[in-house]
């Protein structure tokens, strides 16, 4: 159960906002490796972990850790699967609502092999059953009841665009994590309020090699807020006047980047529901992602609210911030 006292933002609602996270939960098998094995070679791992992940689930973990409420929606494999049961147990432990997940009989829940090198960078191989994309979501009124925002990823456009469009029509913010190139005719360009790209998909979507120019090109096609995340180089974004702004990353000692981007998106979505202005929301999200990078465990290393406030220098936290280089 989320403790509303964790929410220190003075404009935040007294009842923690509920964010609907749409995507596919994934079972992650993580391996700490001295390096990425060459083709046809073998490598001994120095560490192993079994966690659950996926953009939406990772974002949901970040939201709950930061004092929000998260509900997850999307397809999973057969309910009798070992992976399915494992993921449900993990979500229950985190306090994530799971009633909107849809089991698809006979299908396989997504699974990933994740190799993490000494720098904290990860290399991922994921299997997603192609038939999972044919999922049909529940009634929109049911999904949007008590919903303060939607957080989804661009790859889920096939089954969530109509729901997102209805949410926007009802005045509910829709934050989209864009981690693959989008078509410039993509429905989510309009069925969203905030589009946050990773740098490479941003440039591929706009067909230009400069992040700032890419944002300005896409801005001609959508009214959504636009930003591009660039890891340690921070976040670039467009303000209401169409001017380029930048939010620097927090320079921390990185050991594991797995789930950091998803924690960023979850933190940003929560900040938006709390009424934080854009610059503040991006800084809040950057702090949450930075803290996650200082620990192993994917999104399960996401910080608590007090730790983020401490790193931001707001004097509200009780836990020490990590050593900053």
């Amino acid at each position: 159960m989320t403790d509303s006292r964790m929410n220190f933002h003075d404009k935040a609602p007294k009842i923690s906002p509920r964010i609907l996270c749409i995507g596919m939960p994934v079972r992650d098998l993580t391996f700490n490796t001295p390096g990425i094995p060459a083709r046809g070679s073998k490598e001994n791992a120095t560490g192993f972990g079994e966690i659950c992940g996926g953009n939406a689930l990772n974002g949901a973990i970040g939201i709950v850790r930061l004092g929000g409420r998260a509900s997850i929606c999307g397809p999973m494999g057969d309910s009798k699967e070992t992976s399915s049961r494992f993921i449900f147990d993990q979500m229950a432990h985190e306090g994530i609502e799971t009633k909107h997940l849809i089991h698809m009989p006979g299908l396989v829940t997504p699974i990933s092999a994740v190799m993490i090198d000494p720098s904290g960078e990860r290399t991922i191989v994921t299997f997603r059953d192609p038939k999972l994309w044919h999922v049909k979501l529940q009634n929109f009124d049911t999904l949007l009841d008590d919903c303060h925002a939607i957080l989804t990823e661009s790859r889920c456009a096939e089954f969530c665009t109509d729901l997102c469009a209805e949410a926007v029509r009802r005045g509910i913010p829709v934050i989209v994590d864009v981690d693959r190139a989008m078509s410039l005719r993509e429905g989510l360009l309009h069925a969203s309020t905030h589009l946050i790209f990773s740098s490479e998909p941003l440039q591929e979507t706009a067909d230009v090699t400069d992040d700032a120019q890419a944002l300005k090109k896409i801005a001609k096609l959508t009214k959504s807020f636009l930003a591009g995340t660039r890891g340690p180089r921070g976040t670039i974004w467009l303000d209401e006047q169409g001017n380029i702004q930048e939010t620097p990353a927090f320079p921390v000692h990185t050991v594991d980047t797995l789930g950091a981007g998803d924690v960023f998106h979850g933190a940003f979505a929560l900040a938006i529901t709390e009424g934080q202005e854009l610059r503040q929301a991006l800084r809040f999200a950057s702090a949450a992602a930075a803290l996650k990078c200082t620990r192993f465990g994917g999104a399960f290393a996401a910080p608590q609210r007090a730790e983020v406030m401490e790193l931001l220098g707001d004097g509200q936290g009780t836990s020490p911030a990590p050593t900053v280089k």
Side-chain angles (χ1 to χ4, degrees), residues 22-102:
I22 304 174
M24 294 186 185
V26 180
R27 181 186 181 193
D28 287 335
L29 306 179
T30 66
F31 303 86
N32 298 95
T33 59
I36 302 305
R39 183 174 182 268
S41 69
K42 296 181 180 179
E43 186 76 71
N44 289 323
T46 58
F48 170 76
E50 183 177 9
I51 57 177
C52 55
N55 299 39
L57 179 51
N58 288 341
I61 293 171
I63 289 164
V64 172
R65 296 280 182 93
L66 294 170
R69 293 180 293 146
S71 178
I72 190 163
C73 169
M76 292 186 70
D78 197 286
S79 61
K80 297 179 181 179
E81 256 196 327
T82 300
S83 293
S84 178
R85 295 196 299 271
F86 171 78
I87 291 172
F88 263 81
D89 287 344
Q90 295 291 310
M91 287 189 288
H93 183 265
E94 289 293 318
I96 298 169
E97 184 182 77
T98 60
K99 66 181 181 181
H100 299 309
L101 282 169
I102 301 170

Side-chain angles (χ1 to χ4, degrees), residues 53-263:
N55 299 39
L57 179 51
N58 288 341
I61 293 171
I63 289 164
V64 172
R65 296 280 182 93
L66 294 170
R69 293 180 293 146
S71 178
I72 190 163
C73 169
M76 292 186 70
D78 197 286
S79 61
K80 297 179 181 179
E81 256 196 327
T82 300
S83 293
S84 178
R85 295 196 299 271
F86 171 78
I87 291 172
F88 263 81
D89 287 344
Q90 295 291 310
M91 287 189 288
H93 183 265
E94 289 293 318
I96 298 169
E97 184 182 77
T98 60
K99 66 181 181 181
H100 299 309
L101 282 169
I102 301 170
H103 284 294
M104 302 184 73
L107 301 189
V108 176
T109 294
I111 189 167
S112 290
V114 184
M115 290 173 282
I116 304 170
D117 68 25
S119 74
E121 190 55 75
R122 74 280 189 277
T123 301
I124 305 174
V125 177
T126 302
F127 172 72
R128 291 183 177 87
D129 195 317
K131 294 181 180 178
L132 290 171
W133 302 110
H134 302 315
V135 66
K136 300 296 182 184
L137 300 185
Q138 294 173 313
N139 177 274
F140 290 178
D141 288 334
T142 299
L143 293 173
L144 296 178
D145 180 48
D146 189 33
C147 178
H148 296 83
I150 285 178
L151 173 63
T152 190
E153 53 186 297
S154 54
R155 69 164 59 93
C156 295
E158 182 176 346
F159 61 81
C160 79
T161 298
D162 289 345
L163 173 64
C164 291
E166 176 61 18
V168 171
R169 191 187 71 79
R170 298 186 187 191
I172 298 171
V174 174
I175 297 92
V176 180
D177 168 8
V178 187
D179 65 354
R180 64 168 179 82
M182 296 176 69
S183 165
L184 293 179
R185 295 183 295 275
E186 174 67 66
L188 282 177
L189 286 174
H190 306 288
S192 61
T193 57
H194 301 75
L195 292 166
I196 304 180
F197 293 77
S198 299
S199 180
E200 185 175 337
L202 172 60
Q203 295 181 18
E204 291 177 354
T205 297
D207 195 26
V208 297
T209 57
D210 178 80
D211 289 335
Q213 293 305 313
L215 288 175
K216 289 186 175 182
K217 181 175 179 179
I218 296 170
K220 297 177 182 178
L221 305 173
T222 178
K223 296 180 180 178
S224 293
F225 166 78
L226 298 174
T229 58
R230 303 174 297 173
R233 294 188 294 135
T235 304
I236 188 170
W237 50 284
L238 291 178
D239 63 20
E240 292 181 353
Q241 288 72 44
N243 298 318
I244 293 292
Q245 303 289 342
E246 293 191 42
T247 299
F250 288 81
V252 295
H253 176 59
T254 298
V255 299
D256 178 13
T257 61
L258 180 64
D262 304 327
V263 170

